[in-house]
């Protein structure tokens, strides 16, 4: 199959895809296709799974495609790589809409003269500062390169001379565990060889020592009452009677910041 035919076919399946005509795209997919969406862990393998996933999709979304550019990047007798760049508007039933600058890479495999899509990789571009070249040094402080909110990165020493990092928004509270510290996070529990006192000295600006055994992230505190606090997940932790007024004051202050 000629490259101009593949380019035309790529443009056709994409255009019809965003007109909610999914079948031409699915009919063009190889049985062993890998479909990679723009969201985290959004990977679907095999045409059968892809067909079933689209069949189960229920939405009333409509789309509008703009400024489509189709570019061949790799051509051989058995494979053709196509890149497509475009703007796409998404319209929701409530009348709202959004626009993203999207890129799709289609890897066509050619077998016995028939071309099928082996890989479909979709990614969304993010706005970028023209003063930058590779790294987003002047990027809007609300976002990072992945388009997610930026957060303070905390580092902890793990076992075996390892160092691991957590966003402040991940850490719920830290708990003394002997000479070590158990970190309770939104993604599970991690053990650090740093004692709680060292973490308080390092991150006391962001965390509150509510008890000899606990260092709390105020963002996860739901309620404070006499001599205890309740976290968002319902867990209750004690506050010593002598520290109650100070701890409550610090938590309230952090909540206002």
């Amino acid at each position: 199959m000629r490259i101009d035919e593949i380019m035309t076919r790529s443009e056709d399946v994409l255009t019809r895809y965003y007109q909610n005509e999914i079948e031409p795209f699915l009919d063009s997919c190889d049985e062993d296709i890998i479909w990679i969406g723009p969201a985290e862990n959004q990977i679907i393998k095999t045409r059968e799974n892809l067909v079933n996933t689209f069949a189960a999709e229920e939405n009333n979304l409509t789309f509008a495609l703009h400024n489509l550019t189709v570019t061949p990047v790799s051509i051989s007798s058995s494979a053709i790589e196509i890149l497509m760049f475009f703007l796409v508007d998404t319209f929701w039933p409530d009348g709202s809409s959004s626009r993203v600058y999207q890129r799709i890479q289609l890897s066509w495999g050619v077998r016995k003269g028939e071309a099928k899509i082996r890989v479909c990789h979709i990614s969304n571009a993010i706005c970028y500062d023209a003063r930058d070249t590779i790294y987003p040094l002047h990027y809007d402080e609300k976002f990072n390169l992945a388009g997610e909110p930026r957060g303070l990165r905390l580092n902890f020493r793990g076992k075996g001379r390892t160092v691991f990092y957590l966003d402040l928004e991940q850490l719920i509270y830290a708990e003394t565990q002997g000479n070590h510290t158990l970190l309770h996070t939104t993604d599970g529990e991690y053990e650090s060889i740093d004692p709680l006192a060292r973490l308080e000295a390092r991150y006391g600006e962001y965390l509150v020592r509510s008890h000899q055994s606990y260092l709390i992230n105020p963002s996860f505190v739901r309620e404070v009452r006499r001599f205890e606090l309740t976290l968002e997940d319902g867990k209750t932790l004690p506050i010593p009677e002598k520290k109650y007024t100070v701890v409550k004051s610090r938590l309230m202050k952090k909540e206002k910041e």
Side-chain angles (χ1 to χ4, degrees):
M1 185 173 287
R2 292 171 14 191
I3 184 61
D4 56 342
E5 294 176 332
I6 291 292
M7 291 175 64
T8 299
R9 189 171 170 187
S10 297
E11 179 179 353
D12 179 65
V13 297
L14 177 72
T15 301
R16 296 171 71 177
Y17 180 98
Y18 280 110
Q19 292 172 348
N20 285 326
E21 297 179 35
I22 309 299
E23 289 303 322
F25 168 71
L26 296 176
D27 290 343
S28 298
C29 292
D30 188 87
E31 293 298 324
D32 295 321
I33 187 174
I34 298 177
W35 183 91
I36 305 171
E40 183 179 5
N41 298 323
Q42 196 176 19
I43 300 175
I44 301 172
K45 297 180 179 180
T46 77
R47 181 181 181 278
E48 180 180 2
N49 288 332
L50 192 61
V51 169
N52 292 337
T53 301
F54 273 104
E57 177 71 26
E58 296 181 6
N59 69 69
N60 296 313
L61 304 181
T62 56
F63 309 92
L65 203 64
H66 313 277
N67 303 340
L68 175 61
T69 301
V70 182
T71 304
V73 293
S74 177
I75 306 170
S76 71
S77 59
S78 60
I80 299 174
E81 301 282 344
I82 299 292
L83 284 179
M84 293 183 285
F85 304 88
F86 53 94
L87 290 170
V88 61
D89 294 319
T90 302
F91 303 95
W92 279 274
D94 64 1
S96 61
S97 64
S98 66
R99 168 173 287 190
V100 295
Y101 181 58
Q102 198 162 83
R103 296 82 58 95
I104 292 183
Q105 178 178 353
L106 294 181
S107 299
W108 295 82
V110 182
R111 296 177 181 173
K112 298 181 179 179
E114 184 179 15
K116 292 287 186 179
I117 301 171
R118 299 296 305 277
V119 177
C120 175
H121 188 180
I122 305 169
S123 61
N124 290 339
I126 56 176
C127 296
Y128 205 60
D129 194 299
R131 292 171 293 175
D132 296 328
T133 51
I134 300 297
Y135 300 110
L137 302 179
H138 300 91
Y139 203 53
D140 188 321
E141 290 298 323
K142 295 186 298 181
F143 297 95
N144 60 23
L145 191 56
E148 300 172 346
R150 283 184 178 175
L152 176 68
R153 297 283 282 176
L154 312 180
N155 66 82
F156 304 91
R157 293 186 302 158
K159 294 181 178 180
R161 298 184 178 180
T162 60
V163 177
F164 60 93
Y165 299 85
L166 296 172
D167 289 334
L168 178 60
E169 290 78 8
Q170 290 179 270
L171 180 61
I172 302 172
Y173 70 98
E175 177 182 6
T176 292
Q177 192 173 63
N179 294 325
H180 294 179
T181 300
L182 187 63
L183 306 172
H184 300 266
T185 80
T186 55
D187 297 324
E189 296 180 348
Y190 301 87
E191 185 177 353
S192 170
I193 64 172
D194 292 310
L196 201 66
R198 182 175 296 171
L199 296 183
E200 181 185 16
R202 188 186 304 162
Y203 300 122
E205 180 181 353
Y206 312 102
L207 306 174
V208 174
R209 187 73 174 265
S210 63
H211 185 278
Q212 181 179 354
S213 300
Y214 302 108
L215 195 59
I216 307 295
N217 185 343
S219 299
F220 290 92
V221 176
R222 179 198 300 172
E223 181 184 10
V224 181
R225 53 185 180 274
R226 289 190 67 80
F227 314 140
E228 65 179 22
L229 60 84
T230 303
L231 300 174
E232 291 292 347
D233 63 1
K235 185 177 181 62
T236 300
L237 298 177
I239 303 175
E241 182 176 352
K242 293 181 179 180
K243 295 185 63 176
Y244 174 73
T245 302
V246 174
V247 170
K248 180 179 180 181
S249 177
R250 286 206 63 198
L251 288 172
M252 292 179 64
K253 181 180 178 181
K254 291 292 183 184
E255 185 178 352
K256 293 179 181 179
E257 292 178 353

PDB file of all heavy atoms in Angstrom, residues 41-71:
ATOM      1  N   ASN A  41      -2.449   5.078  32.774  1.00  0.00           N
ATOM      2  CA  ASN A  41      -2.817   3.652  32.745  1.00  0.00           C
ATOM      3  C   ASN A  41      -3.950   3.341  31.769  1.00  0.00           C
ATOM      4  O   ASN A  41      -4.628   2.325  31.909  1.00  0.00           O
ATOM      5  CB  ASN A  41      -3.208   3.160  34.145  1.00  0.00           C
ATOM      6  CG  ASN A  41      -2.066   3.266  35.139  1.00  0.00           C
ATOM      7  OD1 ASN A  41      -0.910   3.040  34.783  1.00  0.00           O
ATOM      8  ND2 ASN A  41      -2.373   3.619  36.374  1.00  0.00           N
ATOM      9  N   GLN A  42      -4.163   4.194  30.779  1.00  0.00           N
ATOM     10  CA  GLN A  42      -5.232   3.985  29.802  1.00  0.00           C
ATOM     11  C   GLN A  42      -4.669   3.211  28.609  1.00  0.00           C
ATOM     12  O   GLN A  42      -4.370   3.767  27.559  1.00  0.00           O
ATOM     13  CB  GLN A  42      -5.810   5.334  29.368  1.00  0.00           C
ATOM     14  CG  GLN A  42      -7.156   5.224  28.665  1.00  0.00           C
ATOM     15  CD  GLN A  42      -7.722   6.588  28.339  1.00  0.00           C
ATOM     16  OE1 GLN A  42      -7.008   7.581  28.316  1.00  0.00           O
ATOM     17  NE2 GLN A  42      -9.015   6.641  28.074  1.00  0.00           N
ATOM     18  N   ILE A  43      -4.542   1.907  28.796  1.00  0.00           N
ATOM     19  CA  ILE A  43      -3.960   1.033  27.780  1.00  0.00           C
ATOM     20  C   ILE A  43      -4.907  -0.138  27.538  1.00  0.00           C
ATOM     21  O   ILE A  43      -5.349  -0.796  28.485  1.00  0.00           O
ATOM     22  CB  ILE A  43      -2.576   0.512  28.208  1.00  0.00           C
ATOM     23  CG1 ILE A  43      -1.616   1.679  28.434  1.00  0.00           C
ATOM     24  CG2 ILE A  43      -2.015  -0.451  27.168  1.00  0.00           C
ATOM     25  CD1 ILE A  43      -0.267   1.256  28.969  1.00  0.00           C
ATOM     26  N   ILE A  44      -5.219  -0.387  26.289  1.00  0.00           N
ATOM     27  CA  ILE A  44      -6.080  -1.511  25.919  1.00  0.00           C
ATOM     28  C   ILE A  44      -5.346  -2.356  24.891  1.00  0.00           C
ATOM     29  O   ILE A  44      -4.869  -1.828  23.878  1.00  0.00           O
ATOM     30  CB  ILE A  44      -7.427  -1.022  25.340  1.00  0.00           C
ATOM     31  CG1 ILE A  44      -8.151  -0.145  26.364  1.00  0.00           C
ATOM     32  CG2 ILE A  44      -8.307  -2.216  24.940  1.00  0.00           C
ATOM     33  CD1 ILE A  44      -9.395   0.528  25.810  1.00  0.00           C
ATOM     34  N   LYS A  45      -5.259  -3.654  25.138  1.00  0.00           N
ATOM     35  CA  LYS A  45      -4.562  -4.568  24.242  1.00  0.00           C
ATOM     36  C   LYS A  45      -5.554  -5.497  23.568  1.00  0.00           C
ATOM     37  O   LYS A  45      -6.493  -5.971  24.198  1.00  0.00           O
ATOM     38  CB  LYS A  45      -3.516  -5.379  25.011  1.00  0.00           C
ATOM     39  CG  LYS A  45      -2.410  -4.530  25.634  1.00  0.00           C
ATOM     40  CD  LYS A  45      -1.402  -5.401  26.379  1.00  0.00           C
ATOM     41  CE  LYS A  45      -0.291  -4.558  26.977  1.00  0.00           C
ATOM     42  NZ  LYS A  45       0.697  -5.378  27.709  1.00  0.00           N
ATOM     43  N   THR A  46      -5.337  -5.748  22.295  1.00  0.00           N
ATOM     44  CA  THR A  46      -6.107  -6.592  21.381  1.00  0.00           C
ATOM     45  C   THR A  46      -7.353  -5.869  20.871  1.00  0.00           C
ATOM     46  O   THR A  46      -7.991  -5.085  21.589  1.00  0.00           O
ATOM     47  CB  THR A  46      -6.529  -7.953  21.968  1.00  0.00           C
ATOM     48  OG1 THR A  46      -7.642  -7.792  22.850  1.00  0.00           O
ATOM     49  CG2 THR A  46      -5.370  -8.631  22.683  1.00  0.00           C
ATOM     50  N   ARG A  47      -7.686  -6.177  19.636  1.00  0.00           N
ATOM     51  CA  ARG A  47      -8.849  -5.571  18.996  1.00  0.00           C
ATOM     52  C   ARG A  47     -10.130  -5.992  19.706  1.00  0.00           C
ATOM     53  O   ARG A  47     -11.062  -5.191  19.862  1.00  0.00           O
ATOM     54  CB  ARG A  47      -8.897  -5.975  17.523  1.00  0.00           C
ATOM     55  CG  ARG A  47     -10.068  -5.360  16.767  1.00  0.00           C
ATOM     56  CD  ARG A  47     -10.118  -5.802  15.315  1.00  0.00           C
ATOM     57  NE  ARG A  47     -11.230  -5.169  14.631  1.00  0.00           N
ATOM     58  CZ  ARG A  47     -12.483  -5.596  14.683  1.00  0.00           C
ATOM     59  NH1 ARG A  47     -12.789  -6.688  15.396  1.00  0.00           N
ATOM     60  NH2 ARG A  47     -13.441  -4.951  14.030  1.00  0.00           N
ATOM     61  N   GLU A  48     -10.190  -7.243  20.157  1.00  0.00           N
ATOM     62  CA  GLU A  48     -11.393  -7.728  20.841  1.00  0.00           C
ATOM     63  C   GLU A  48     -11.707  -6.885  22.080  1.00  0.00           C
ATOM     64  O   GLU A  48     -12.845  -6.465  22.294  1.00  0.00           O
ATOM     65  CB  GLU A  48     -11.216  -9.186  21.240  1.00  0.00           C
ATOM     66  CG  GLU A  48     -12.441  -9.771  21.954  1.00  0.00           C
ATOM     67  CD  GLU A  48     -12.243 -11.217  22.352  1.00  0.00           C
ATOM     68  OE1 GLU A  48     -11.130 -11.755  22.111  1.00  0.00           O
ATOM     69  OE2 GLU A  48     -13.184 -11.817  22.899  1.00  0.00           O
ATOM     70  N   ASN A  49     -10.668  -6.629  22.891  1.00  0.00           N
ATOM     71  CA  ASN A  49     -10.884  -5.812  24.083  1.00  0.00           C
ATOM     72  C   ASN A  49     -11.249  -4.378  23.726  1.00  0.00           C
ATOM     73  O   ASN A  49     -12.061  -3.744  24.409  1.00  0.00           O
ATOM     74  CB  ASN A  49      -9.635  -5.832  24.967  1.00  0.00           C
ATOM     75  CG  ASN A  49      -9.436  -7.159  25.654  1.00  0.00           C
ATOM     76  OD1 ASN A  49     -10.394  -7.890  25.924  1.00  0.00           O
ATOM     77  ND2 ASN A  49      -8.191  -7.495  25.949  1.00  0.00           N
ATOM     78  N   LEU A  50     -10.640  -3.867  22.666  1.00  0.00           N
ATOM     79  CA  LEU A  50     -10.935  -2.499  22.243  1.00  0.00           C
ATOM     80  C   LEU A  50     -12.385  -2.382  21.778  1.00  0.00           C
ATOM     81  O   LEU A  50     -13.096  -1.437  22.136  1.00  0.00           O
ATOM     82  CB  LEU A  50      -9.977  -2.088  21.130  1.00  0.00           C
ATOM     83  CG  LEU A  50      -9.945  -0.607  20.747  1.00  0.00           C
ATOM     84  CD1 LEU A  50      -9.529   0.250  21.933  1.00  0.00           C
ATOM     85  CD2 LEU A  50      -8.997  -0.386  19.575  1.00  0.00           C
ATOM     86  N   VAL A  51     -12.830  -3.361  20.981  1.00  0.00           N
ATOM     87  CA  VAL A  51     -14.216  -3.368  20.506  1.00  0.00           C
ATOM     88  C   VAL A  51     -15.183  -3.430  21.686  1.00  0.00           C
ATOM     89  O   VAL A  51     -16.178  -2.695  21.748  1.00  0.00           O
ATOM     90  CB  VAL A  51     -14.446  -4.551  19.550  1.00  0.00           C
ATOM     91  CG1 VAL A  51     -15.938  -4.727  19.268  1.00  0.00           C
ATOM     92  CG2 VAL A  51     -13.692  -4.341  18.242  1.00  0.00           C
ATOM     93  N   ASN A  52     -14.894  -4.304  22.652  1.00  0.00           N
ATOM     94  CA  ASN A  52     -15.772  -4.450  23.821  1.00  0.00           C
ATOM     95  C   ASN A  52     -15.807  -3.185  24.659  1.00  0.00           C
ATOM     96  O   ASN A  52     -16.857  -2.807  25.202  1.00  0.00           O
ATOM     97  CB  ASN A  52     -15.321  -5.637  24.681  1.00  0.00           C
ATOM     98  CG  ASN A  52     -15.529  -6.977  23.992  1.00  0.00           C
ATOM     99  OD1 ASN A  52     -16.363  -7.079  23.092  1.00  0.00           O
ATOM    100  ND2 ASN A  52     -14.789  -7.977  24.390  1.00  0.00           N
ATOM    101  N   THR A  53     -14.658  -2.522  24.764  1.00  0.00           N
ATOM    102  CA  THR A  53     -14.594  -1.293  25.556  1.00  0.00           C
ATOM    103  C   THR A  53     -15.424  -0.191  24.921  1.00  0.00           C
ATOM    104  O   THR A  53     -16.182   0.509  25.595  1.00  0.00           O
ATOM    105  CB  THR A  53     -13.136  -0.828  25.713  1.00  0.00           C
ATOM    106  OG1 THR A  53     -12.370  -1.857  26.350  1.00  0.00           O
ATOM    107  CG2 THR A  53     -13.070   0.436  26.564  1.00  0.00           C
ATOM    108  N   PHE A  54     -15.295  -0.037  23.612  1.00  0.00           N
ATOM    109  CA  PHE A  54     -16.090   0.980  22.933  1.00  0.00           C
ATOM    110  C   PHE A  54     -17.578   0.637  22.970  1.00  0.00           C
ATOM    111  O   PHE A  54     -18.424   1.523  23.079  1.00  0.00           O
ATOM    112  CB  PHE A  54     -15.626   1.155  21.489  1.00  0.00           C
ATOM    113  CG  PHE A  54     -14.498   2.132  21.334  1.00  0.00           C
ATOM    114  CD1 PHE A  54     -13.194   1.692  21.112  1.00  0.00           C
ATOM    115  CD2 PHE A  54     -14.723   3.495  21.419  1.00  0.00           C
ATOM    116  CE1 PHE A  54     -12.148   2.585  20.983  1.00  0.00           C
ATOM    117  CE2 PHE A  54     -13.683   4.400  21.288  1.00  0.00           C
ATOM    118  CZ  PHE A  54     -12.391   3.952  21.067  1.00  0.00           C
ATOM    119  N   ALA A  55     -17.894  -0.646  22.901  1.00  0.00           N
ATOM    120  CA  ALA A  55     -19.304  -1.065  22.942  1.00  0.00           C
ATOM    121  C   ALA A  55     -19.929  -0.743  24.294  1.00  0.00           C
ATOM    122  O   ALA A  55     -21.133  -0.456  24.388  1.00  0.00           O
ATOM    123  CB  ALA A  55     -19.406  -2.565  22.653  1.00  0.00           C
ATOM    124  N   ALA A  56     -19.112  -0.801  25.354  1.00  0.00           N
ATOM    125  CA  ALA A  56     -19.619  -0.527  26.706  1.00  0.00           C
ATOM    126  C   ALA A  56     -19.647   0.960  27.034  1.00  0.00           C
ATOM    127  O   ALA A  56     -20.233   1.372  28.035  1.00  0.00           O
ATOM    128  CB  ALA A  56     -18.763  -1.258  27.741  1.00  0.00           C
ATOM    129  N   GLU A  57     -19.022   1.768  26.179  1.00  0.00           N
ATOM    130  CA  GLU A  57     -18.953   3.212  26.432  1.00  0.00           C
ATOM    131  C   GLU A  57     -20.314   3.849  26.206  1.00  0.00           C
ATOM    132  O   GLU A  57     -20.945   3.660  25.163  1.00  0.00           O
ATOM    133  CB  GLU A  57     -17.922   3.855  25.501  1.00  0.00           C
ATOM    134  CG  GLU A  57     -17.827   5.361  25.620  1.00  0.00           C
ATOM    135  CD  GLU A  57     -17.195   5.806  26.919  1.00  0.00           C
ATOM    136  OE1 GLU A  57     -16.405   5.024  27.500  1.00  0.00           O
ATOM    137  OE2 GLU A  57     -17.483   6.933  27.350  1.00  0.00           O
ATOM    138  N   GLU A  58     -20.775   4.591  27.201  1.00  0.00           N
ATOM    139  CA  GLU A  58     -22.047   5.290  27.085  1.00  0.00           C
ATOM    140  C   GLU A  58     -21.817   6.782  27.337  1.00  0.00           C
ATOM    141  O   GLU A  58     -21.480   7.185  28.443  1.00  0.00           O
ATOM    142  CB  GLU A  58     -23.062   4.752  28.095  1.00  0.00           C
ATOM    143  CG  GLU A  58     -23.441   3.292  27.861  1.00  0.00           C
ATOM    144  CD  GLU A  58     -24.465   2.799  28.869  1.00  0.00           C
ATOM    145  OE1 GLU A  58     -24.946   3.636  29.667  1.00  0.00           O
ATOM    146  OE2 GLU A  58     -24.780   1.604  28.859  1.00  0.00           O
ATOM    147  N   ASN A  59     -21.945   7.575  26.310  1.00  0.00           N
ATOM    148  CA  ASN A  59     -21.821   9.018  26.481  1.00  0.00           C
ATOM    149  C   ASN A  59     -22.582   9.733  25.382  1.00  0.00           C
ATOM    150  O   ASN A  59     -22.912   9.158  24.345  1.00  0.00           O
ATOM    151  CB  ASN A  59     -20.347   9.444  26.468  1.00  0.00           C
ATOM    152  CG  ASN A  59     -19.714   9.275  25.097  1.00  0.00           C
ATOM    153  OD1 ASN A  59     -20.040   9.994  24.166  1.00  0.00           O
ATOM    154  ND2 ASN A  59     -18.803   8.314  24.969  1.00  0.00           N
ATOM    155  N   ASN A  60     -22.871  10.971  25.666  1.00  0.00           N
ATOM    156  CA  ASN A  60     -23.547  11.820  24.686  1.00  0.00           C
ATOM    157  C   ASN A  60     -22.638  12.953  24.248  1.00  0.00           C
ATOM    158  O   ASN A  60     -23.087  14.064  23.984  1.00  0.00           O
ATOM    159  CB  ASN A  60     -24.838  12.391  25.297  1.00  0.00           C
ATOM    160  CG  ASN A  60     -25.850  11.308  25.619  1.00  0.00           C
ATOM    161  OD1 ASN A  60     -26.101  10.443  24.780  1.00  0.00           O
ATOM    162  ND2 ASN A  60     -26.416  11.354  26.810  1.00  0.00           N
ATOM    163  N   LEU A  61     -21.351  12.646  24.184  1.00  0.00           N
ATOM    164  CA  LEU A  61     -20.388  13.677  23.811  1.00  0.00           C
ATOM    165  C   LEU A  61     -20.350  13.862  22.297  1.00  0.00           C
ATOM    166  O   LEU A  61     -20.521  12.913  21.533  1.00  0.00           O
ATOM    167  CB  LEU A  61     -18.986  13.301  24.309  1.00  0.00           C
ATOM    168  CG  LEU A  61     -18.826  13.016  25.807  1.00  0.00           C
ATOM    169  CD1 LEU A  61     -17.389  12.688  26.125  1.00  0.00           C
ATOM    170  CD2 LEU A  61     -19.305  14.204  26.622  1.00  0.00           C
ATOM    171  N   THR A  62     -20.093  15.091  21.891  1.00  0.00           N
ATOM    172  CA  THR A  62     -19.840  15.372  20.478  1.00  0.00           C
ATOM    173  C   THR A  62     -18.525  16.131  20.392  1.00  0.00           C
ATOM    174  O   THR A  62     -18.051  16.715  21.379  1.00  0.00           O
ATOM    175  CB  THR A  62     -20.973  16.192  19.847  1.00  0.00           C
ATOM    176  OG1 THR A  62     -21.167  17.407  20.590  1.00  0.00           O
ATOM    177  CG2 THR A  62     -22.271  15.398  19.844  1.00  0.00           C
ATOM    178  N   PHE A  63     -17.939  16.123  19.195  1.00  0.00           N
ATOM    179  CA  PHE A  63     -16.603  16.681  19.021  1.00  0.00           C
ATOM    180  C   PHE A  63     -16.538  17.526  17.750  1.00  0.00           C
ATOM    181  O   PHE A  63     -17.343  17.359  16.831  1.00  0.00           O
ATOM    182  CB  PHE A  63     -15.562  15.554  18.921  1.00  0.00           C
ATOM    183  CG  PHE A  63     -15.649  14.550  20.030  1.00  0.00           C
ATOM    184  CD1 PHE A  63     -16.422  13.403  19.883  1.00  0.00           C
ATOM    185  CD2 PHE A  63     -14.968  14.742  21.222  1.00  0.00           C
ATOM    186  CE1 PHE A  63     -16.511  12.467  20.899  1.00  0.00           C
ATOM    187  CE2 PHE A  63     -15.046  13.816  22.242  1.00  0.00           C
ATOM    188  CZ  PHE A  63     -15.818  12.675  22.084  1.00  0.00           C
ATOM    189  N   ALA A  64     -15.555  18.403  17.728  1.00  0.00           N
ATOM    190  CA  ALA A  64     -15.262  19.180  16.521  1.00  0.00           C
ATOM    191  C   ALA A  64     -13.751  19.191  16.329  1.00  0.00           C
ATOM    192  O   ALA A  64     -12.998  19.482  17.250  1.00  0.00           O
ATOM    193  CB  ALA A  64     -15.789  20.598  16.657  1.00  0.00           C
ATOM    194  N   LEU A  65     -13.337  18.826  15.123  1.00  0.00           N
ATOM    195  CA  LEU A  65     -11.918  18.694  14.790  1.00  0.00           C
ATOM    196  C   LEU A  65     -11.456  19.913  13.997  1.00  0.00           C
ATOM    197  O   LEU A  65     -12.166  20.390  13.108  1.00  0.00           O
ATOM    198  CB  LEU A  65     -11.739  17.423  13.953  1.00  0.00           C
ATOM    199  CG  LEU A  65     -10.370  16.753  13.910  1.00  0.00           C
ATOM    200  CD1 LEU A  65      -9.977  16.252  15.286  1.00  0.00           C
ATOM    201  CD2 LEU A  65     -10.416  15.593  12.918  1.00  0.00           C
ATOM    202  N   HIS A  66     -10.252  20.421  14.324  1.00  0.00           N
ATOM    203  CA  HIS A  66      -9.736  21.597  13.630  1.00  0.00           C
ATOM    204  C   HIS A  66      -8.248  21.413  13.320  1.00  0.00           C
ATOM    205  O   HIS A  66      -7.515  20.752  14.057  1.00  0.00           O
ATOM    206  CB  HIS A  66      -9.888  22.862  14.487  1.00  0.00           C
ATOM    207  CG  HIS A  66     -11.230  23.038  15.112  1.00  0.00           C
ATOM    208  ND1 HIS A  66     -12.312  23.584  14.447  1.00  0.00           N
ATOM    209  CD2 HIS A  66     -11.682  22.727  16.354  1.00  0.00           C
ATOM    210  CE1 HIS A  66     -13.354  23.616  15.245  1.00  0.00           C
ATOM    211  NE2 HIS A  66     -12.992  23.107  16.414  1.00  0.00           N
ATOM    212  N   ASN A  67      -7.817  22.038  12.244  1.00  0.00           N
ATOM    213  CA  ASN A  67      -6.387  22.190  11.923  1.00  0.00           C
ATOM    214  C   ASN A  67      -5.632  20.855  11.907  1.00  0.00           C
ATOM    215  O   ASN A  67      -4.542  20.726  12.473  1.00  0.00           O
ATOM    216  CB  ASN A  67      -5.706  23.134  12.921  1.00  0.00           C
ATOM    217  CG  ASN A  67      -6.370  24.494  12.977  1.00  0.00           C
ATOM    218  OD1 ASN A  67      -7.075  24.894  12.058  1.00  0.00           O
ATOM    219  ND2 ASN A  67      -6.160  25.204  14.071  1.00  0.00           N
ATOM    220  N   LEU A  68      -6.180  19.883  11.241  1.00  0.00           N
ATOM    221  CA  LEU A  68      -5.552  18.559  11.184  1.00  0.00           C
ATOM    222  C   LEU A  68      -4.343  18.564  10.250  1.00  0.00           C
ATOM    223  O   LEU A  68      -4.418  19.010   9.114  1.00  0.00           O
ATOM    224  CB  LEU A  68      -6.568  17.524  10.707  1.00  0.00           C
ATOM    225  CG  LEU A  68      -6.051  16.108  10.467  1.00  0.00           C
ATOM    226  CD1 LEU A  68      -5.485  15.510  11.746  1.00  0.00           C
ATOM    227  CD2 LEU A  68      -7.159  15.223   9.895  1.00  0.00           C
ATOM    228  N   THR A  69      -3.228  18.054  10.765  1.00  0.00           N
ATOM    229  CA  THR A  69      -2.020  17.870   9.974  1.00  0.00           C
ATOM    230  C   THR A  69      -1.618  16.406  10.036  1.00  0.00           C
ATOM    231  O   THR A  69      -1.530  15.818  11.123  1.00  0.00           O
ATOM    232  CB  THR A  69      -0.860  18.733  10.514  1.00  0.00           C
ATOM    233  OG1 THR A  69      -1.238  20.104  10.478  1.00  0.00           O
ATOM    234  CG2 THR A  69       0.398  18.533   9.688  1.00  0.00           C
ATOM    235  N   VAL A  70      -1.376  15.805   8.881  1.00  0.00           N
ATOM    236  CA  VAL A  70      -0.994  14.392   8.800  1.00  0.00           C
ATOM    237  C   VAL A  70       0.429  14.301   8.269  1.00  0.00           C
ATOM    238  O   VAL A  70       0.726  14.823   7.195  1.00  0.00           O
ATOM    239  CB  VAL A  70      -1.954  13.600   7.882  1.00  0.00           C
ATOM    240  CG1 VAL A  70      -1.576  12.129   7.857  1.00  0.00           C
ATOM    241  CG2 VAL A  70      -3.400  13.769   8.351  1.00  0.00           C
ATOM    242  N   THR A  71       1.315  13.631   9.049  1.00  0.00           N
ATOM    243  CA  THR A  71       2.726  13.589   8.687  1.00  0.00           C
ATOM    244  C   THR A  71       3.264  12.166   8.755  1.00  0.00           C
ATOM    245  O   THR A  71       3.175  11.524   9.802  1.00  0.00           O
ATOM    246  CB  THR A  71       3.554  14.468   9.644  1.00  0.00           C
ATOM    247  OG1 THR A  71       3.037  15.796   9.642  1.00  0.00           O
ATOM    248  CG2 THR A  71       5.019  14.483   9.235  1.00  0.00           C
TER     249      THR A  71
END
